Amino acid sequence: MTSFSETGLKEEILSALETLGFEKPTPIQEKTIPHLLNSKQDIIASAQTGTGKTAAFGLPVIHNIDVDNRKPQALILCPTRELCLQIANDLTQFSKFIKGLEIVAVYGGASIEPQIKALGKVAQVVVATPGRAKDLISRRKLNLSNVERVVLDEADEMLSMGFKDDLDAILSSVPEERQTLLFSATMSGEVKRISNEYMNEPIELSAARINLGSENVSHVFYQVHAKDRYEVLKRIADINPNIYGIVFCRTRKETKDIASQLMQDGYNADALHGDLSQAQRDEVMGKFRSRQLQMLVATDVAARGLDVNELTHVINFNLPDDPEVYTHRSGRTGRAGNKGISVAIIHSREMRRIKDIERNSSIKFKKELVPNGKDICTRQLYALIDKIEKVEVNEQQIEPFLPEIYQKLEWLSREDLIKHFVSAEFNRFLAYYKNAKDINLPDKKERKERSESRDRGNSKMSRLYINLGAHSQLTPLRLIGIVNEALDSSSAEIGKIEIMNRFSFFEIDTATVDKLIANIKDFDFRGQEISIERAQQKDNNNSSSKYRGRGEGRKRDSRRSSGDFKKGGNNSKFRGKRNRR
């Protein structure tokens, strides 16, 4: 099938598709549209985000509606409010030349009264989330007695979100003589149960997986220690000044934590997760769609229905357990002819999962090195110069200020003026990445060489005592931050860390010990003076009173104000070099 005109769809629908720029049906559309136009047999379709599944079921639904019948004839169920609105909007666009056809979206998180009012008028197609549909049915405001077609879109997600009982209640209240269309990315046990119980001898259709193999999407991975994931995320953002992407996390807590850290570190980011109210979700998604946000940190479920074609990056902060979920995530970039990059941040034991995704999706990952400080600074500098070169100058508005500006800067030569201007905008990156370490995990050959080097005594470690412990809310990450700040560097090798209740022990490169002990006297942590001593000769079982710190006061310069010592936060600059031996 080379065009939609061959499908047999109404002329009004074909005209709408032409105005929308739809040319050739996708594989899932080729398979479903002719069947749904000519048969009332149930179908199970395997289709994922980005394959055109909304049009696959939506165009036949619209084609078969009797506009003279004002009651609901088609019910489309989907897991989230965002997807509900997206489907309703797409169907409205597809049917804009069909007079008398009305599509109503009903969903939770919004007032039910306007939805009841809309259903009381004309509503031939109802797009709903399961919870709100069940509520309206129980109130006798949603009458399904005339429904001829039921669509379960993303059935696997609806079941994973706990809508099993709602789906059972809804499906048991629609006429038995109906056509049921089930669209799902995966066929879980519950999806099969739904199909067995509520479908009549369905045929199975499937489309090629999402465009992971497309030339528009590149798949790369960075391999680092788990503790360095956030640093990798920041470096990806820093080396891509115009990044516009989604960062996928596994849990709500991780989503909130990562988004909070990004915002604290000055990045244009926010979080999307299940703990947000509907008003908060709408605000975040509105900002992201309008590109007021560059990075959206989200869980898989929360990102459902967020349809943006211009994404430059999809970043897997954690790989999903199911390779199919990676398919969902990656398909959100490289759309509408744009290029996209799908990034996976993995640790040493996750190569097997990369291989699983490659086998499952017929794609090939490329291993890349985490950008270093020099590369990032170079990219940021050139981005700044490009911005200055292309900025629009409004002569009329700035003219009154120019004489005084010229007078203030007349002592600077052209070369010095450029240096001052670039430094004013760029010093933050230069300062942060001045001592940026290589956080890439070495390959087998490099690990062997480093091990042999340590065996030759080239990397000796010393065991130190610090008078802070769990009682002081010390964590390994914060200990690394204290060490890095005291040494004014993140290059020191830190080995085993033991956090006790009121004190701790840690291993560190012997060459840094004297400097660390001398410098730490100037710092405090949450108001407690810090003391670090050599621990080789000490009895680990002695009480903490023996090891009380002998700090000599608190440092009062500006350096401490941005660190963990005053606020106790997890500032990203404290991510040190940790070597678990």
Side-chain angles (χ1 to χ4, degrees):
M1 188 182 300
T2 59
S3 68
F4 282 100
S5 60
E6 300 177 46
T7 61
L9 289 167
K10 291 178 178 178
E11 287 298 325
E12 296 94 332
I13 297 176
L14 295 176
S15 298
L17 293 176
E18 184 178 354
T19 62
L20 294 170
F22 282 52
E23 297 176 357
K24 183 180 178 181
T26 66
I28 193 62
Q29 293 165 1
E30 275 191 276
K31 294 181 178 181
T32 57
I33 293 175
H35 173 82
L36 296 177
L37 292 183
N38 298 291
S39 171
K40 292 187 177 182
Q41 186 177 9
D42 294 351
I43 67 168
I44 297 174
S46 298
Q48 299 165 334
T49 301
T51 56
K53 60 183 174 62
T54 302
F57 63 73
L59 296 177
V61 163
I62 293 169
H63 177 93
N64 288 309
I65 291 297
D66 178 6
V67 294
D68 294 326
N69 182 348
R70 299 164 61 91
K71 296 180 180 180
Q73 300 164 48
L75 173 66
I76 301 171
L77 296 171
C78 56
T80 66
R81 174 184 190 269
E82 290 75 24
L83 186 55
C84 177
L85 289 169
Q86 179 189 318
I87 293 172
N89 180 68
D90 288 345
L91 298 189
T92 300
Q93 292 294 316
F94 299 153
S95 62
K96 60 184 178 180
F97 296 128
I98 302 178
K99 294 182 179 180
L101 196 154
E102 293 295 333
I103 297 157
V104 174
V106 295
Y107 44 84
S111 174
I112 199 171
E113 296 303 325
Q115 297 175 8
I116 291 175
K117 186 176 180 180
L119 291 172
K121 296 179 180 178
V122 181
Q124 291 108 336
V125 180
V126 177
V127 188
T129 55
R132 180 51 58 93
K134 181 182 176 183
D135 189 4
L136 289 165
I137 292 170
S138 65
R139 294 180 185 222
R140 298 184 179 180
K141 300 300 181 181
L142 177 57
N143 184 349
L144 302 179
S145 60
N146 286 276
V147 166
E148 299 175 352
R149 185 168 286 108
V150 175
V151 181
L152 305 178
D153 188 20
E154 301 200 2
D156 52 344
E157 287 298 325
M158 286 193 282
L159 293 168
S160 69
M161 292 171 65
F163 289 129
K164 174 180 175 293
D165 293 340
D166 293 340
L167 288 176
D168 285 339
I170 295 167
L171 293 175
S172 63
S173 65
V174 293
E176 291 187 8
E177 297 297 322
R178 67 174 188 274
Q179 184 178 35
T180 303
L181 319 177
L182 189 153
F183 283 75
S184 182
T186 59
M187 286 299 294
S188 65
E190 279 300 317
V191 171
K192 291 178 181 177
R193 184 192 67 80
I194 289 286
S195 66
N196 291 335
E197 188 169 348
Y198 295 105
M199 302 183 75
N200 182 27
E201 297 182 355
I203 65 169
E204 295 190 16
L205 304 175
S206 62
R209 288 190 175 94
I210 207 166
N211 59 348
L212 292 182
S214 168
E215 295 180 357
N216 290 343
V217 181
S218 302
H219 301 270
V220 303
F221 71 89
Y222 298 103
Q223 192 169 20
V224 297
H225 289 297
K227 66 182 179 64
D228 289 323
R229 288 184 192 273
Y230 179 69
E231 178 65 22
V232 177
L233 178 59
K234 292 209 315 173
R235 294 194 190 187
I236 293 171
D238 287 342
I239 205 164
N240 295 284
N242 296 318
I243 189 172
Y244 181 48
I246 301 177
V247 181
F248 282 101
C249 294
R250 189 187 302 273
T251 65
R252 294 179 183 180
K253 182 180 185 304
E254 185 177 59
T255 299
K256 290 186 283 188
D257 290 345
I258 297 303
S260 178
Q261 283 183 290
L262 286 171
M263 289 185 282
Q264 288 176 11
D265 289 337
Y267 294 90
N268 198 5
D270 210 335
L272 190 67
H273 52 78
D275 289 340
L276 297 178
S277 68
Q278 196 59 58
Q280 290 172 320
R281 289 170 63 86
D282 290 344
E283 181 180 6
V284 171
M285 294 180 73
K287 287 182 179 179
F288 187 63
R289 284 197 177 98
S290 64
R291 304 194 75 152
Q292 295 178 51
L293 299 175
Q294 283 187 277
M295 288 189 291
L296 184 68
V297 189
T299 58
D300 291 290
V301 172
R304 293 287 178 181
L306 182 60
D307 193 19
V308 181
N309 287 332
E310 298 84 12
L311 293 183
T312 62
H313 289 74
V314 166
I315 302 174
N316 295 268
F317 192 81
N318 288 111
L319 282 176
D321 294 326
D322 185 351
E324 294 285 350
V325 176
Y326 177 87
T327 298
H328 278 282
R329 294 177 177 182
S330 303
R332 294 179 178 276
T333 187
R335 293 184 177 183
N338 298 313
K339 297 289 185 180
I341 300 175
S342 179
V343 179
I345 305 174
I346 68 170
H347 58 69
S348 58
R349 296 180 297 279
E350 290 186 305
M351 273 307 300
R352 177 185 58 80
R353 298 173 71 183
I354 289 290
K355 298 299 183 184
D356 288 344
I357 293 172
E358 288 182 328
R359 285 192 297 270
N360 185 72
S361 306
S362 301
I363 63 166
K364 188 67 178 176
F365 278 92
K366 179 183 178 182
K367 180 179 181 180
E368 291 193 354
L369 295 178
V370 179
N372 59 36
K374 181 180 179 181
D375 293 338
I376 292 170
C377 289
T378 300
R379 182 72 62 86
Q380 285 285 342
L381 177 59
Y382 290 155
L384 173 63
I385 299 305
D386 288 343
K387 180 180 178 181
I388 294 171
E389 183 182 15
K390 297 174 183 177
V391 69
E392 182 179 347
V393 177
N394 190 320
E395 298 278 358
Q396 187 175 1
Q397 286 188 346
I398 66 171
E399 186 67 34
F401 306 100
L402 290 178
E404 187 173 352
I405 293 174
Y406 292 150
Q407 182 179 357
K408 283 182 175 292
L409 300 178
E410 63 182 358
W411 64 279
L412 291 171
S413 66
R414 176 178 176 273
E415 290 76 13
D416 287 337
L417 181 61
I418 293 174
K419 291 177 184 177
H420 277 248
F421 182 79
V422 171
S423 296
E425 292 289 324
F426 197 58
N427 278 350
R428 179 173 65 89
F429 279 101
L430 290 174
Y432 181 81
Y433 284 110
K434 179 177 63 174
N435 296 313
K437 62 188 179 71
D438 180 5
I439 59 176
N440 293 283
L441 279 180
D443 57 27
K444 291 182 179 179
K445 182 179 179 181
E446 290 174 322
R447 288 198 296 271
K448 182 179 179 182
E449 291 175 352
R450 292 185 185 184
S451 177
E452 292 173 349
S453 176
R454 284 195 296 270
D455 291 343
R456 291 193 299 267
N458 293 341
S459 181
K460 295 181 178 179
M461 306 291 282
S462 294
R463 190 164 184 262
L464 300 184
Y465 156 88
I466 183 171
N467 66 326
L468 302 173
H471 183 74
S472 304
Q473 299 184 28
L474 184 72
T475 64
L477 182 62
R478 288 174 175 172
L479 175 57
I480 292 170
I482 291 172
V483 171
N484 289 345
E485 190 77 357
L487 294 174
D488 196 21
S489 170
S490 60
S491 61
E493 289 258 354
I494 298 176
K496 184 178 180 181
I497 295 176
E498 302 170 74
I499 305 292
M500 310 298 184
N501 188 27
R502 295 187 178 274
F503 60 94
S504 303
F505 296 98
F506 64 99
E507 295 177 345
I508 191 169
D509 183 358
T510 300
T512 66
V513 170
D514 291 339
K515 180 180 179 181
L516 175 62
I517 291 176
N519 289 0
I520 205 66
K521 296 175 181 179
D522 293 327
F523 292 99
D524 67 68
F525 180 77
R526 294 180 175 272
Q528 180 178 351
E529 294 179 352
I530 302 174
S531 174
I532 292 179
E533 304 174 9
R534 296 179 185 272
Q536 290 92 332
Q537 304 303 320
K538 293 187 180 294
D539 179 2
N540 295 354
N541 296 321
N542 284 347
S543 66
S544 62
S545 60
K546 180 176 179 179
Y547 302 124
R548 284 177 184 161
R550 293 181 286 277
E552 298 177 1
R554 303 176 182 178
K555 193 172 186 67
R556 300 185 183 276
D557 64 8
S558 60
R559 181 176 64 176
R560 190 187 67 185
S561 63
S562 65
D564 196 20
F565 311 105
K566 194 70 175 175
K567 298 179 181 177
N570 288 339
N571 193 297
S572 60
K573 70 187 286 187
F574 296 151
R575 306 248 163 168
K577 189 174 184 181
R578 178 108 177 259
N579 176 29
R580 295 185 180 272
R581 299 194 301 165

